[in-house]
Amino acid sequence: MSVLSEFKQFALKGNVVDLAVAVVIGNAFTAIVNAVVSDLVMPVVGLVLPGGDWREVTVTPLQLRVGHLLGAMLDFLIIALVLFLVVVKMSKLWSRKEAPPPPSTRVCPECREAIPLEARRCRACTSVLEPLASTSA
């Protein structure tokens, strides 16, 4: 088998194509999340945080950039919170579960075999079954 045909077989597998689609959609979703964070959330955070260029704070003669680390941690927490709200909470609104269909069988009280709802006698143990209560009034 040639390298080209092996590559074609690999590249056209369903899971590889699905992964490529997921990466493209994830990239587009990243732009949305970044816009929400930078345009909506960070201005509110900027009102709460102290003024000045606190992300450039350094300590010790080694110039350890503590402000940069704290800023990156804060950005991560805000992005994680926005992702949580969008993905988990909003997906509950988008996916409404349908009611399960009514059962089509019942259980024989004698042998515990599954039988149709309309059955008057069990096919396994031949016991006579009581009719179902009518729901119409």
Side-chain angles (χ1 to χ4, degrees), residues 29-84:
F29 190 67
T30 300
I32 293 171
V33 170
N34 286 337
V36 168
V37 170
S38 64
D39 298 338
L40 299 177
V41 177
M42 288 311 279
V44 175
V45 172
L47 294 174
V48 176
L49 292 177
D53 202 7
W54 60 272
R55 288 183 182 245
E56 300 300 320
V57 172
T58 58
V59 262
T60 72
L62 296 174
Q63 299 298 313
L64 299 176
R65 297 172 45 188
V66 177
H68 185 263
L69 175 64
L70 292 175
M73 290 169 56
L74 180 65
D75 291 345
F76 171 78
L77 290 174
I78 291 171
I79 290 173
L81 176 66
V82 169
L83 275 175
F84 172 76

Side-chain angles (χ1 to χ4, degrees), residues 55-127:
R55 288 183 182 245
E56 300 300 320
V57 172
T58 58
V59 262
T60 72
L62 296 174
Q63 299 298 313
L64 299 176
R65 297 172 45 188
V66 177
H68 185 263
L69 175 64
L70 292 175
M73 290 169 56
L74 180 65
D75 291 345
F76 171 78
L77 290 174
I78 291 171
I79 290 173
L81 176 66
V82 169
L83 275 175
F84 172 76
L85 293 175
V86 169
V87 172
V88 174
K89 297 300 181 182
M90 296 301 281
S91 68
K92 289 181 182 178
L93 296 175
W94 293 329
S95 64
R96 296 181 185 194
K97 294 185 178 181
E98 295 179 12
S104 62
T105 61
R106 61 179 172 163
V107 177
C108 173
E110 296 294 324
C111 68
R112 310 304 295 167
E113 179 75 21
I115 53 174
L117 288 176
E118 300 83 22
R120 293 181 285 170
R121 189 176 290 269
C122 178
R123 68 175 162 238
C125 69
T126 68
S127 63

